[in-house]
Amino acid sequence: MGHFIKDIFSFLKTLSTIDFILYFAVLILMILIISLIYVIKNSEEGEKELTSDEPELLDLQTIVDTIDENPQPVIDMTTYEAEQEEKAIISYDELIKSSKREPIHYAEEELVDNEIKVKKVNLNQLAVPISTEELPKVEVKLFHYEKEEAFLNTLKQLNELLN
């Protein structure tokens, strides 16, 4: 065994750098050829499997049936939140808008499931709505009579052209 290793070292010492480059290039080329043959063989086997099987027809109705139109939310809700979500009548945005007009007074607070703060509304002291002067004024812009008249005339002309 010792002579074999010495012989390998002496052989490697006799080689020049060009010989090393040539041997490694041949080795890399052989590896690439083997991997190419492997890929070609696998692709031919895959094509044989595809051509031997009958093409499966897609049943669109089963695809439509399997698609869930209303996917379940990813939110992990507590039992209390799920119950309140089912019983909800008014949207959160509507509730916020109404709370700005009519402030709510609370009697007490408690924690449900040690996570959710629940406030009890004080029914004895019902909220007094904010006066209408404090509410933002909404301007309603209507067509002027002249614009409506011009629009009506344009519609009549269009009707005449169509007939």
Side-chain angles (χ1 to χ4, degrees):
M1 183 88 159
H3 290 295
F4 180 69
I5 295 174
K6 288 181 183 179
D7 290 340
I8 290 176
F9 281 126
S10 63
F11 175 71
L12 292 177
K13 288 180 183 178
T14 60
L15 296 176
S16 65
T17 56
I18 295 175
D19 292 334
F20 277 116
I21 293 172
L22 184 63
Y23 284 125
F24 283 115
V26 169
L27 182 65
I28 290 173
L29 184 62
M30 288 175 41
I31 291 172
L32 288 175
I33 290 173
I34 291 171
S35 62
L36 181 65
I37 291 172
Y38 176 76
V39 168
I40 291 173
K41 288 283 186 183
N42 281 345
S43 66
E44 287 176 359
E45 290 175 8
E47 288 176 6
K48 287 179 185 176
E49 290 176 4
L50 288 178
T51 56
S52 65
D53 295 339
E54 293 180 13
E56 297 179 14
L57 297 176
L58 294 176
D59 185 15
L60 295 179
Q61 186 60 40
T62 56
I63 293 173
V64 169
D65 292 341
T66 56
I67 294 176
D68 189 12
E69 291 181 12
N70 296 321
Q72 296 297 322
V74 199
I75 302 169
D76 185 25
M77 292 193 287
T78 63
T79 55
Y80 177 78
E81 289 173 328
E83 177 184 333
Q84 294 304 314
E85 185 70 27
E86 291 174 7
K87 293 180 179 179
I89 297 174
I90 187 172
S91 72
Y92 182 74
D93 294 332
E94 292 173 328
L95 186 61
I96 294 296
K97 287 178 186 176
S98 68
S99 69
K100 289 179 182 175
R101 286 180 296 197
E102 301 174 3
I104 300 172
H105 302 284
Y106 299 102
E108 61 185 65
E109 294 182 9
E110 65 178 85
L111 283 176
V112 176
D113 294 337
N114 292 327
E115 294 179 6
I116 302 168
K117 188 184 293 186
V118 179
K119 297 179 180 180
K120 181 178 179 183
V121 177
N122 186 354
L123 298 177
N124 295 332
Q125 184 183 4
L126 289 176
V128 177
I130 298 173
S131 67
T132 56
E133 296 171 1
E134 296 176 11
L135 291 176
K137 295 182 181 180
V138 179
E139 288 185 31
V140 179
K141 294 183 179 180
L142 298 176
F143 285 111
H144 294 290
Y145 180 74
E146 294 85 19
K147 290 182 181 178
E148 289 182 16
E149 185 82 24
F151 181 68
L152 183 62
N153 288 336
T154 306
L155 284 178
K156 286 180 182 178
Q157 290 173 357
L158 179 63
N159 192 15
E160 289 175 6
L161 287 174
L162 291 175
N163 292 333

